[in-house]
């Protein structure tokens, strides 16, 4: 985890001239928050760009509308209103741009969306006016499919890349290589390859370990393995993971990136997973404590 120092914070704070509003409203309350926040930021003198789908619903002028990529190119800060799924979808696109992201939680868990909607304006004011924040960098994974020596598909994942059969209740046989060295073979429903960010998501449901965000590590978690000896494995975050598949795997298979993008491949292909060159830059309030988040979201006992 990289945290900007005080000098960087002042420079970053002063650079917040254009702010993007993003997300996918589930209901009218969330859409109303987009509208209210747009007005609040505009009144404070910021140039505001609104994700085009939302902006059209709000009836905003064309000059305020922008695609996610356009927001990435023009804004210095992106505010995502919604749940973790909204943050994941926007973060995969925006990671390649030099933009910080902060989330207002309108979903269920909210591991990636820090701000409480009840205190949203006070917390945003602390960030924008008082510089009460720090920026944390988290790495993404890049999944690619190799066929006859050529990469035919590629995708990024903030949480995890999941290798699984396209059909439900089909097992697959595969070999796992780490840095081109054979590591293990497995027969299972698939394999979850998780970042520290994703260790509290799908990986956790499958029995994987929780990795704190600052760890440079990747977790390999089997999905319903055919042998009781299969266990999660944590490896160095700079490792390259390659999977080869048994020829008798007849069904089509997929690599799922954050359960939002699917890359199809056949048993003859090779799947590679490694750290992406892009990073997610999350803006947190100075009061942010990752362990408090775990206690709150996972129902752990709090301190006396």
């Amino acid at each position: 985890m990289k945290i900007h120092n005080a000098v960087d914070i002042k420079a970053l704070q002063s650079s917040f001239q254009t702010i993007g509003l993003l997300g996918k409203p589930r209901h009218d309350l969330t859409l109303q928050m987009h509208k209210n926040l747009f007005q609040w930021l505009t009144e404070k003198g910021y140039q505001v760009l609104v994700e085009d789908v939302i902006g059209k619903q709000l009836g905003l002028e064309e000059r305020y509308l922008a695609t996610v990529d356009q927001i990435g190119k023009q804004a210095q800060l992106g505010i995502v209103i919604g749940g973790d799924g909204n943050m994941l979808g926007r973060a995969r696109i925006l990671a390649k741009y030099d933009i910080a992201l902060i989330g207002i939680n309108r979903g269920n868990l909210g591991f990636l969306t820090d701000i409480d909607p009840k205190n949203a304006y006070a917390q945003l004011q602390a960030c924008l006016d008082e510089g009460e924040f720090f920026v944390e960098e988290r790495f993404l994974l890049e999944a690619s499919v190799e066929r006859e020596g050529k990469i035919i598909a590629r995708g990024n994942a903030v949480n995890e890349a999941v290798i699984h059969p396209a059909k439900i209740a089909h097992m697959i046989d595969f070999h796992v290589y780490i840095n081109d060295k054979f590591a293990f073979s497995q027969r299972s429903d698939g394999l979850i390859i998780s970042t520290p960010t994703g260790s509290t998501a799908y990986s956790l449901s499958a029995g994987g370990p929780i990795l704190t965000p600052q760890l440079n590590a990747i977790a390999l978690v089997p999905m319903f393995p055919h042998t009781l000896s299969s266990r999660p494995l944590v490896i160095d975050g700079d490792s390259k993971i390659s999977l080869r598949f048994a020829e008798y795997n007849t069904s089509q298979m997929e690599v799922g990136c954050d359960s939002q993008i699917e890359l199809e491949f056949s048993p003859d292909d090779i799947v590679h997973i490694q750290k992406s060159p892009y990073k997610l830059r999350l803006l947190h309030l100075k009061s942010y404590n990752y362990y408090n988040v775990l206690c709150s979201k996972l129902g752990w006992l709090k301190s006396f």
Side-chain angles (χ1 to χ4, degrees), residues 222-242:
M223 300 167 59
F224 300 102
H226 199 251
T227 172
L228 294 177
S229 63
S230 293
R231 289 291 183 268
L233 175 66
V234 178
I235 63 174
D236 186 271
D238 293 315
S239 302
K240 177 183 177 181
I241 304 155
S242 301

Side-chain angles (χ1 to χ4, degrees), residues 30-140:
T30 308
L31 189 61
Q32 185 64 40
M33 174 160 254
H34 278 91
K35 182 178 181 180
N36 294 344
L37 192 54
F38 169 79
Q39 294 174 337
W40 185 76
L41 290 169
T42 302
E43 289 170 1
K44 291 177 76 67
Y46 292 101
Q47 180 180 346
V48 184
L49 296 175
V50 182
E51 190 174 346
D52 46 11
V53 176
I54 305 162
K56 289 175 183 177
Q57 288 181 267
L58 295 175
L60 299 179
E61 297 176 34
E62 191 71 27
R63 62 192 174 110
Y64 295 117
L65 309 185
T67 65
V68 178
D69 280 293
Q70 287 171 336
I71 289 174
K73 292 175 182 177
Q74 299 178 46
Q76 295 81 44
L77 174 67
I79 301 175
V80 182
I81 304 174
D84 284 343
N86 278 286
M87 178 65 87
L88 291 172
R90 297 342 180 253
R92 277 197 311 275
I93 300 172
L94 294 172
K96 61 189 173 192
Y97 301 106
D98 189 24
I99 180 173
L101 295 178
I102 190 167
I104 299 177
N105 184 26
R106 277 293 184 178
N108 296 317
L109 285 176
F111 275 101
L112 295 175
T113 48
D114 295 356
I115 291 185
D116 180 356
K118 295 178 182 178
N119 303 310
Y121 297 101
Q123 292 178 337
L124 284 174
Q125 183 164 332
C127 290
L128 298 173
D129 296 346
E130 301 163 27
E132 294 293 317
F133 67 85
F134 66 93
V135 177
E136 176 189 38
E137 291 186 346
R138 300 192 183 185
F139 73 83
L140 284 71

Side-chain angles (χ1 to χ4, degrees), residues 224-275:
F224 300 102
H226 199 251
T227 172
L228 294 177
S229 63
S230 293
R231 289 291 183 268
L233 175 66
V234 178
I235 63 174
D236 186 271
D238 293 315
S239 302
K240 177 183 177 181
I241 304 155
S242 301
L243 294 93
R244 296 175 180 267
F245 302 85
E247 294 179 0
Y248 49 81
N249 287 310
T250 56
S251 62
Q252 193 76 9
M253 290 172 282
E254 297 175 343
V255 183
C257 298
D258 295 332
S259 300
Q260 295 180 348
I261 296 175
E262 299 290 345
L263 309 177
E264 294 186 353
F265 66 93
S266 65
D268 295 330
D269 299 330
I270 304 171
V271 173
H272 302 289
I273 311 288
Q274 58 190 352
K275 186 184 288 186

